[in-house]
Amino acid sequence: MLIEIKHRFTRNLLASVEATDYKAGLQILVAASTDLTGADLNASNLAGAYLRGARFQNANMHGCNVRGANLQGADLRDVDLQMADLREALLQNANLTSADLREADLGGANVDGANVTNILLIRASVGLRALDPVIPSSTFAALPSPGTPGRVRRLTDRDRGEVIDEGTLWASLGQQVYDVQKFGMHPSFSAATNTAAWNSLMNTIPSSSSSGTPIVFPPGIYQTQGLVLTDKFNVSIFTYGRPGIYGNASLVCTDMATDSLTIIRGGQIGVAGLYVGHGGKSNSGKAAIKAQGVPKLSITDVATQNYPSQQGSQNGIIIEASIAPFEAFLTWLTRCICSDHTENGIVLSGSASNRRTIETLISECAVMANIGAGLTIKDYVAGIYIRNGTNIAGNGRSLDIVTTVNDGRTLDLYLSDCILDAPTFENIRAQNINSVHIHNNWISSAGGVSGNVVWGIDQLTGTSTGWEVKGNFIAFNRGGGMRFAGDHSMITNNYFSTNGGLAATPTALSLLATSNNNDANNNKYLGHTVDINDLGTNNALGPRLG
């Protein structure tokens, strides 16, 4: 039985055609032109009614029984549906904006595609069902003009996320995040496929965004042929949760002749939470991460540690200013693990007086078991701050600062509250670097494992001035505590203990013939044949602590 209604009506008229037994096949068919706007349908029985496309805006449907009714595409804006029975109702694509559904029963209702903006659901029984939702796709440029609030589209470009029509504009349903898997990268894909997908992503993201461009790697091991980020600003690359060594996202380069992740120019770049490296022993000079001329770079909670030892990237992180006219200005390395590399854990270098690596902060890092050096500093580097418990242990050298350009452009090293321990050679080897401040560190056991007769701190001949070595514990270094060739420096309030155990004459502090006008006061010496060997000129040796 089919009853067709084509005109405006009230509850009294509708009561005469109510569908009391919709399972028996009785249907109420509402034509597309039917207008029920403002109708008083209080407590009506519309169970199983066919009401597709009907207009009910501002209608009173308080307590109505519309169980199993077909309300697909219906206009239910501002409708009073308090205490209504909407179980198993079909509400796909209906407009329920600001509808009042307090204490209504929505068990099993299908609201796929419905606009539910500002609906009231206080004390409602909600068991909504959406059947195979399909959101229409579109490029951003091809989105229809806004004006139908609640429409949703899935973008096939930009971040490939969902956007919603807010009436006057299309807005992202969430923060705009570029998920690499939406662009074709996946842990199960080949290195070639993942690299091509990354290049596609690089062509998609803007060169600069004031709100930032987050790129996320969901958990997994991504084989690549080397990823490159060029001339991008305000970009962050990250994964969820802890660093990759704890089981989240890893970027593993299968091309031994390239760096695993290369960042070129641009600025305000962040890399966080990833393991980055090579799948085998890379070529010499290649790194897990290489940044070239990148101002404002932050690398946080990143691991470049090789598994097994020395069988991956030759270097951990290389920061360099090698591309004119950019300087590597303001780099933060925080809570990173750069260990077990055949060459160096971290390398800082410039290339000319106007292309320097300036202001680098290394904090709370573990830089260990690198065959070359934990940290290598080359020419044209200024402002290096190594702080907050950074552990530089078991390397070839802890710090290797041997510059070849003697023009005073490599300067300002601040090393404080760190551990430098058990290198194969010196803990600190330095030449041609000015303004060095070494405060409150543990500097020990140079040559202790290898048996090499080397100093804890060895400042080589050359031009070095303005050093301040203060408050350090310098102990058990096999060739001696500290050897110094510079001038106009202070070596004070240090504790030298049991250095030079393999030397012919165990010496705590040696001031070489080129040293002059230095202050070596108030140090404490324990367990040496010679406390101070002064071969220089005008050095003030002053009092010694007990």
Side-chain angles (χ1 to χ4, degrees), residues 59-70:
N60 176 14
M61 299 179 72
H62 191 113
C64 271
N65 179 5
V66 287
R67 181 174 182 179
N70 187 336

Side-chain angles (χ1 to χ4, degrees), residues 469-472 474 482 490-496 508-509 511 519-526 531-532 540-546:
V469 182
K470 182 177 180 180
N472 302 283
I474 303 172
M482 177 176 179
M490 296 178 63
I491 305 169
T492 63
N493 296 99
N494 300 286
Y495 189 168
F496 291 87
L509 175 61
L511 301 175
D519 183 350
N521 289 316
N522 298 318
N523 296 297
K524 184 173 183 177
Y525 304 95
L526 176 66
D531 291 339
I532 305 176
L541 306 184
R544 305 179 190 184
L545 299 178

Side-chain angles (χ1 to χ4, degrees), residues 7 27 35 80 110 261 417 468 485 495:
H7 58 279
Q27 291 184 314
D35 186 355
D80 180 357
N110 187 343
L261 174 62
D417 302 298
E468 183 185 26
Y495 189 168

